[in-house]
Amino acid sequence: MTRPMTMAEKILADHAGLDEVVPGQLIECDLDGVLANDITAPIAIKTVRELGAGVWDRERIFLVPDHYSPNKDIKSAEQTKVTRDFAHEMGITHYFEQGCMGIEHALLPEKGIVGPGDLVIGADSHTCTYGGIGAFSTGVGSTDAGVGMATGRAWFKVPETIRFEIDGELPAGASAKDVILYVIGKIGVDGALYCAMEFAGSTVDSLSVEGRLTIANMAIEAGGKAGLFEVDDVARAWLARRCERPYKEYHADANATYKKVIHIDAADIVPQVSWPHLPSNTHPVAESRHITIDQAVIGSCTNGRIEDMRAAADVLRGRTVDPSVRCIVIPATQGVWLQCVHEGLMDVFIDAHCVVSTPTCGPCLGGYMGILAAGERCVSSTNRNFVGRMGDPTSEVYLASPAVAAASAVAGHIALPDDLD
């Protein structure tokens, strides 16, 4: 009989061809997919060429130009060209040209390209997003991604797992973004260093898949190797409309061994905002109203899905952005963009005097489409607020939910939607 295992341990053991694994063990695993974007792919491609082996499986490599695309300058155009030419040369099935693309971590689950039980590596730290649908996915360096593209294999050190049991009903106005900001504020940006973060409890059960993807996305902001949610009926219904291939569910054993189990009462999770310059510097929104802003960003791989667009539109409907604020709305994929059109959300955004962009990571990493000048402040539904993350080193980024970002854009300062009434 094998030892009782966590979700992460079961997925890794299976992909290593082993009956069981233990934390700290070094293993080599078969991969289900390898991801890279317009910044990280060229380095990975160089590694593939140095190995001289071509690609391991043209249907299991995912290339998404989303960071500086549509290209913002000549250098970014050259980066994308390297990626595009390689995709065409190798016959990569899942290369997403501009016009068909989206922010990678929203796009792959939406298209059903990743699914439960998959083991996926990506040359982007927020690859951990796919744990929201029961995959073990994690970010790696571009060289490791290149080796994965060539061989279909990667090595792992089996992580310990921290289990977060969150129970009860969230207070009015609180969302999945507030859950993960609260967790990071509680344990710190290194509180789950190289650990799998396993989420469970009645609060988690009540979350949408979009909400679970938001939480898994920011596991890396606590130092996590992966963020994992078990597949349940909510996830199965969501997957039935997207994932057409067979998938395998992994569920933690009841007597699995965890590094620690952290119990959280959902009633304690009021709407949060992370002040500069760490995601762990969390404060209740209600205690942050004195902070004026110059910009609001609603989008990213964290909060650019249709649920997020609806939440922002509900706040902005019938209102206008404060004249001293720029509000930038970025649907995460072309599919979300089109759904916003069909639901009339674009009318709401434009009537509210928002800028609406094609899908891009742009402002989140200080790339383009919303760079901050010296001393400016932005409230953003993105995932990082490090020094200079969105522009000048003296600028400031405050992390919050789409609803709070929208309310703040209208108020001219950090605010709750209820404050607008």
Side-chain angles (χ1 to χ4, degrees):
M1 180 177 293
T2 59
R3 63 181 287 270
M5 290 189 288
T6 67
M7 280 186 70
E9 291 164 359
K10 284 188 173 184
I11 295 173
L12 291 173
D14 224 2
H15 285 78
L18 301 172
D19 291 333
E20 62 180 48
V21 294
V22 297
Q25 182 177 349
L26 296 177
I27 57 174
E28 189 173 1
C29 296
D30 293 324
L31 299 170
D32 294 300
V34 182
L35 164 72
N37 55 55
D38 47 325
I39 293 177
T40 61
I43 304 170
I45 290 166
K46 182 181 178 182
T47 299
V48 173
R49 297 203 185 282
E50 288 173 350
L51 292 172
V55 296
W56 131 77
D57 187 332
R58 66 187 186 90
E59 296 185 354
R60 300 293 188 93
I61 295 168
F62 320 133
L63 299 177
V64 187
D66 60 356
H67 277 55
Y68 291 146
S69 298
N71 306 135
K72 78 178 185 74
D73 53 23
I74 295 172
K75 187 173 181 179
S76 62
E78 293 293 343
Q79 290 274 104
T80 305
K81 186 176 188 301
V82 169
T83 307
R84 179 187 301 113
D85 290 349
F86 179 79
H88 293 331
E89 176 190 345
M90 297 294 173
I92 303 299
T93 303
H94 297 302
Y95 168 72
F96 292 91
E97 190 54 87
Q98 299 167 37
C100 301
M101 55 77 79
I103 298 173
E104 53 198 336
H105 306 310
L107 184 68
L108 299 191
E110 176 190 281
K111 295 290 188 182
I113 294 169
V114 296
D118 283 354
L119 179 58
V120 178
I121 60 171
D124 185 276
S125 59
H126 291 104
T127 303
C128 52
T129 304
Y130 318 137
I133 51 174
F136 186 102
S137 55
T138 194
V140 298
S142 294
T143 302
D144 282 339
V147 173
M149 289 179 184
T151 67
R153 294 178 67 79
W155 71 271
F156 297 85
K157 183 173 76 171
V158 178
E160 295 180 292
T161 298
I162 301 174
R163 183 175 172 90
F164 296 84
E165 296 188 350
I166 310 171
D167 290 293
E169 186 174 346
L170 288 170
S175 67
K177 181 63 166 288
D178 300 299
V179 171
I180 189 59
L181 291 181
Y182 180 87
V183 167
I184 296 168
K186 187 177 181 70
I187 68 172
V189 292
D190 58 355
L193 192 61
Y194 208 92
C195 292
M197 300 172 71
E198 193 177 286
F199 295 91
S202 63
T203 309
V204 168
D205 294 342
S206 67
L207 291 175
S208 66
V209 170
E210 286 83 358
R212 298 172 193 187
L213 291 166
T214 291
I215 292 172
N217 173 271
M218 290 190 68
I220 185 62
E221 264 59 72
K225 185 69 173 174
L228 291 157
F229 291 74
E230 292 189 348
V231 175
D232 59 8
D233 286 342
V234 173
R236 292 181 196 106
W238 190 90
L239 290 159
R241 304 191 302 273
R242 295 169 176 84
C243 193
E244 297 181 357
R245 60 182 176 79
Y247 58 80
K248 183 174 180 179
E249 297 180 16
Y250 292 84
H251 299 271
D253 292 322
N255 52 347
T257 300
Y258 293 92
K259 181 178 181 179
K260 65 176 73 171
V261 178
I262 297 175
H263 297 274
I264 296 173
D265 184 349
D268 295 334
I269 306 175
V270 298
Q272 305 280 305
V273 59
S274 290
W275 295 10
H277 289 284
L278 287 174
S280 58
N281 188 14
T282 53
H283 300 260
V285 175
E287 297 176 8
S288 308
R289 293 186 176 100
H290 61 286
I291 300 169
T292 58
I293 64 166
D294 302 284
Q295 178 169 293
V297 172
I298 300 163
S300 83
C301 61
T302 313
N303 281 122
R305 300 173 185 84
I306 189 62
E307 180 179 278
D308 305 307
M309 297 295 108
R310 290 170 182 155
D314 285 346
V315 175
L316 293 166
R317 188 173 284 108
R319 299 185 171 105
T320 55
V321 172
D322 185 279
S324 64
V325 175
R326 298 143 355 234
C327 184
I328 302 169
V329 179
I330 307 178
T333 69
Q334 291 287 71
V336 174
W337 211 100
L338 191 59
Q339 196 166 350
C340 286
V341 173
H342 291 160
E343 295 185 16
L345 305 187
M346 288 299 184
D347 292 343
V348 174
F349 298 142
I350 299 301
D351 289 345
H353 304 168
C354 298
V355 175
V356 184
S357 166
T358 188
T360 177
C361 299
C364 177
L365 71 154
Y368 72 136
M369 281 299 299
I371 303 303
L372 298 177
E376 287 193 316
R377 293 184 181 127
C378 176
V379 60
S380 179
S381 70
T382 55
N383 43 50
R384 287 184 178 152
N385 59 348
F386 306 149
V387 173
R389 173 70 177 179
M390 205 173 276
D392 189 272
T394 64
S395 63
E396 296 179 346
V397 178
Y398 295 78
L399 304 178
S401 70
V404 168
S408 303
V410 173
H413 59 83
I414 293 176
L416 291 162
D418 287 349
D419 294 340
L420 304 179
D421 298 331

